[in-house]
Amino acid sequence: MTITSQHNPALKQLRRLARKHDRERSGRFAAEGEDLIAAAELAGRHALAGYRVAGSGLGGGDFVDVEASALTAVSTLGSGTRVIGVYEQRWATAPSGPCACICTASATRGTLARCCARRKAFGASSVVLGPGCADPHAPKAVRASMGAIFVVEIARVESIAELPGERVALVADPSPPAQSLAGLAGPVTLLVGAEREGLPPDVVSACERTAHIPIEADSLNAAMAATVALYEMTRRGGRDHDTVTTK
């Protein structure tokens, strides 16, 4: 059976997942496009529901055929999509090292998603969100994560005190260079500030160490700063527990 109308009850429910309130209430999120569906399958994440353009055969036998126009109408992509899967949100009960942590409202969906992807590339264990942080399951964040949303452990914290291990603040002021992070032993939490504001003074003072990335420009964006720091932490090998926090 093929769904022919965008007003089909199942498609209406799917469209609601574009809203944060409905994602939080249902504990679900949607992923659009062949690449994300393939990433979910590779990660062993089974779709709770799936919809594909009729005749495409995408997504496996459990996905429902939908006329292209109807699927485009419920897509969050301007150009439409050929396949959409619905997945369960998974949250860790507590952060663990190594992890990338986004902990304030200044962390955008794009920054959050890119940190998820960098976390996957450099082997950190989780991404940690603080109060007011962007939603990692928002459609744009899911797309920008490039599939990392299905393999990265995500946790939430209410305060910096909940972050594991030694806490290191990345700052613009002269401090030991980020290369020095490779020599730290044990769990480490790295906090990275927003591009303009940086880390609040009280956050910096709550950290055991500071570090900076020597550059010729005025600043790096938060995701790039996290990327450089993760690279420095892992390039010499031997780290068992690293945490990255961006503010």
Side-chain angles (χ1 to χ4, degrees):
M1 180 178 178
T2 299
I3 296 176
T4 59
S5 171
Q6 68 184 72
H7 302 295
N8 177 276
L11 294 189
K12 285 185 176 181
Q13 187 174 13
L14 173 63
R15 182 159 45 193
R16 293 190 188 102
L17 293 178
R19 300 194 294 258
K20 183 177 181 180
H21 170 76
D22 287 281
R23 290 194 301 273
E24 291 179 341
R25 181 182 57 80
S26 67
R28 299 180 175 189
F29 71 99
E32 301 189 41
E34 293 99 315
D35 290 344
L36 285 175
I37 301 306
E41 183 178 358
L42 186 63
R45 296 287 296 272
H46 178 70
L48 301 175
Y51 307 90
R52 66 191 177 199
V53 169
S56 68
L58 296 169
D62 294 336
F63 278 56
V64 177
D65 284 340
V66 182
E67 283 193 0
S69 59
L71 195 61
T72 296
V74 298
S75 171
T76 61
L77 298 174
S79 58
T81 186
R82 297 209 304 157
V83 61
I84 304 175
V86 177
Y87 299 89
E88 177 189 15
Q89 296 182 21
R90 294 184 180 178
W91 296 90
T93 56
S96 62
C99 62
C101 175
I102 315 299
C103 60
T104 66
S106 63
T108 64
R109 288 190 297 259
T111 295
L112 175 57
R114 287 190 290 273
C115 283
C116 283
R118 274 42 167 194
R119 169 268 165 214
K120 181 181 177 183
F122 291 108
S125 66
S126 63
V127 172
V128 185
L129 285 62
C133 182
D135 181 6
H137 299 105
K140 289 183 179 180
V142 172
R143 290 196 297 273
S145 78
M146 299 182 292
I149 190 68
F150 296 112
V151 295
V152 175
E153 182 179 281
I154 302 175
R156 290 179 279 207
V157 298
E158 293 297 324
S159 72
I160 291 175
E162 298 176 60
L163 297 173
E166 185 175 15
R167 291 163 298 197
V168 179
L170 269 184
V171 297
D173 299 330
S175 292
Q179 291 93 321
S180 65
L181 300 179
L184 297 179
V188 175
T189 294
L190 180 71
L191 293 94
V192 183
E195 287 88 347
R196 293 186 180 182
E197 297 85 1
L199 292 168
D202 61 321
V203 172
V204 176
S205 64
C207 296
E208 287 77 20
R209 292 174 180 260
T210 59
H212 85 290
I213 300 172
I215 56 173
E216 295 184 6
D218 292 334
S219 67
L220 292 175
N221 65 47
M224 183 56 69
T227 301
V228 172
L230 278 172
Y231 170 75
E232 292 296 349
M233 286 179 170
T234 59
R235 69 187 179 94
R236 297 180 188 177
R239 291 212 59 81
D240 294 324
H241 300 286
D242 300 321
T243 301
V244 179
T245 302
T246 70
K247 292 284 281 185

